[in-house]
């Protein structure tokens, strides 16, 4: 499961704070805040539709931004 989906689940289902989510996922609170802001700006709603894959979720949240998993 992707960090995006985990972030959304912890926020909307568990009701955790940004700081608690960042501790659970070992990411910074700014990253959690950015994911939640981008999700709010996307056309998606929680709970996610069953047919929404991790790739589609990532593309919707990071729309307009080149998502590259390759590091230099």
């Amino acid at each position: 499961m992707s960090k995006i989906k985990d972030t959304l689940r912890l926020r909307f289902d568990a009701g955790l704070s940004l700081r608690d989510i960042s501790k659970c996922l070992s990411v910074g609170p700014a990253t959690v805040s950015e994911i939640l802001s981008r999700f709010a700006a996307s056309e998606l709603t929680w709970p996610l539709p069953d047919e929404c894959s991790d790739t589609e979720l990532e593309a919707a949240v990071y729309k307009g931004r080149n998502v590259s998993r390759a590091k230099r």
Side-chain angles (χ1 to χ4, degrees), residues 8-53:
L8 297 174
R9 181 182 53 80
L10 290 172
R11 181 63 173 183
F12 297 121
D13 289 345
L16 295 181
S17 68
L18 299 180
R19 187 172 290 165
D20 290 338
I21 295 169
S22 69
K23 287 178 186 176
C24 287
L25 300 178
S26 300
V27 297
T31 303
V32 174
S33 178
E34 181 182 359
I35 290 171
L36 293 174
S37 305
R38 288 178 172 274
F39 179 76
S42 75
E43 300 170 357
L44 298 174
T45 59
W46 187 260
L48 295 172
D50 291 334
E51 64 274 358
C52 185
S53 69

